[in-house]
Amino acid sequence: MRLTCPLCGARDHREFSYKGAAVQRPDEGADLEAWHAYVNLRENPAGPLQELWYHQMGCGAWLKVTRDTVTHEISNVELASEAGLGGAA
Ligand SMILES: [Zn+2]
């Protein structure tokens, strides 16, 4: 599988670290239920899923990747910061 980093171009997936589903962090004042969902609840679809990947052996960018969990087809890659997921550490 190859991922196309917006900054580096197409690279082997082994340059990247998978960091789980791309989930929007709740605001600081969010209620307990929102935090519970953020920390513990994940979808497990057989199909497209938005994921967070880190270009560990490249530029260090955090990426939001849309990958089909059945076929592994990558349909979209964008910088997490531009996808509203900035601040991932
Ligand atoms: Zn990169």
Side-chain angles (χ1 to χ4, degrees):
M1 186 172 82
R2 292 178 72 80
L3 290 172
T4 302
C5 173
L7 303 177
C8 304
R11 298 287 193 270
D12 190 275
H13 77 280
R14 290 174 289 190
E15 288 191 11
F16 300 83
S17 295
Y18 173 74
K19 299 297 184 178
V23 179
Q24 183 66 47
R25 181 184 172 98
D27 295 328
E28 288 299 321
D31 63 16
L32 205 52
E33 201 149 319
W35 283 103
H36 167 69
Y38 172 71
V39 172
N40 299 305
L41 303 180
R42 295 292 180 269
E43 293 183 24
N44 189 22
L49 177 65
Q50 294 181 336
E51 302 173 327
L52 204 53
W53 289 72
Y54 177 62
H55 199 177
Q56 184 171 4
M57 300 179 80
C59 64
W62 287 86
L63 307 176
K64 181 180 166 189
V65 175
T66 304
R67 180 180 65 90
D68 190 305
T69 59
V70 176
T71 65
H72 300 294
E73 178 187 356
I74 306 292
S75 59
N76 190 51
V77 179
E78 58 189 318
L79 294 173
S81 59
E82 294 179 357
L85 296 172

